[in-house]
């Protein structure tokens, strides 16, 4: 909340996941943005908590810092976590090939290099351990009772 003050409280987010899961809606959790040196160490606890309330899938994206966001982000980070500014900046530069942002389609939501590869491996390992994203791995159809409304009425 120190970086994104208007974001919904984490307890409210998990409560929404629980309610939707209990209602039969297929739910998942997004670890976004992953901010290396700040919130990446919380990955395991978030995945465990999401699974405990019924989430069946998860994904993550690396922090994007386009020009219009970069200065605001680092100003807020300096106020909230002054001791971590350099750590976060250096980790992002390492995960983005020396840049703070990669605007290319397909590359902008993920990183590169050894540190990002290790983050992806840790994420995949924890998801597998918790049974998250299992449907994607096995080809089992979506068990959700939720159906998006369409103009076409069912025939049978």
């Amino acid at each position: 909340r120190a970086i994104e003050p208007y974001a919904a409280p984490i307890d409210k987010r998990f409560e929404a996941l629980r309610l939707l899961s209990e209602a039969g809606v297929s739910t998942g959790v997004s670890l976004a943005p992953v901010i290396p040196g700040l919130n990446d160490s919380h990955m395991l606890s978030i995945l465990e908590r999401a699974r405990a309330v019924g989430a069946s899938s998860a994904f993550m994206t690396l922090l994007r810092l386009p020009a219009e966001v970069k200065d605001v982000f680092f100003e807020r980070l300096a106020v909230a976590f002054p001791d971590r500014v350099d750590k976060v900046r250096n980790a992002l530069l390492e995960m983005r090939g020396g840049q703070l942002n990669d605007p290319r389609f397909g590359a902008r939501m993920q990183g590169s290099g050894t540190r990002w590869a290790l983050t992806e491996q840790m994420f995949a390992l924890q998801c597998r351990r918790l049974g998250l994203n299992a449907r994607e791995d096995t080809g089992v159809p979506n068990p959700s009772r939720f159906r998006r409304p369409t103009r076409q009425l069912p025939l049978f």
Side-chain angles (χ1 to χ4, degrees), residues 31-36 39-40 43 59-64 92 95 116 119:
L31 279 70
V34 172
I35 306 171
N39 69 0
D40 53 346
M43 185 181 300
F59 72 93
M60 67 173 181
T61 60
L62 182 59
L63 175 67
R64 290 184 60 223
L92 280 171
M95 291 181 165
W116 179 249
T119 302

Side-chain angles (χ1 to χ4, degrees), residues 14-88:
F14 281 114
E15 179 64 10
L17 272 174
R18 185 188 64 75
L19 291 171
L20 289 167
S21 296
E22 288 177 358
V25 176
S26 182
T27 60
V29 65
S30 167
L31 279 70
V34 172
I35 306 171
L38 187 63
N39 69 0
D40 53 346
S41 62
H42 302 287
M43 185 181 300
L44 175 58
S45 63
I46 292 170
L47 292 173
E48 287 177 337
R49 191 168 174 191
R51 186 65 180 133
V53 296
S56 59
S57 63
F59 72 93
M60 67 173 181
T61 60
L62 182 59
L63 175 67
R64 290 184 60 223
L65 290 176
E68 59 274 3
V69 174
K70 178 182 62 166
D71 293 337
V72 174
F73 173 79
F74 282 113
E75 285 172 16
R76 289 185 181 178
L77 185 64
V79 169
F81 303 100
D83 59 325
R84 296 202 183 177
V85 174
D86 290 335
K87 182 177 184 176
V88 170

Side-chain angles (χ1 to χ4, degrees), residues 4 12 33 35 41 72 81 87 95 106 113-116 124 132 135-137 147 153 156:
E4 189 63 45
K12 297 283 186 192
I35 306 171
S41 62
V72 174
F81 303 100
K87 182 177 184 176
M95 291 181 165
T114 304
R115 185 171 180 159
W116 179 249
L132 293 166
R135 185 178 70 242
E136 293 173 12
D137 297 338
R147 298 291 175 256
L153 297 175
F156 302 100

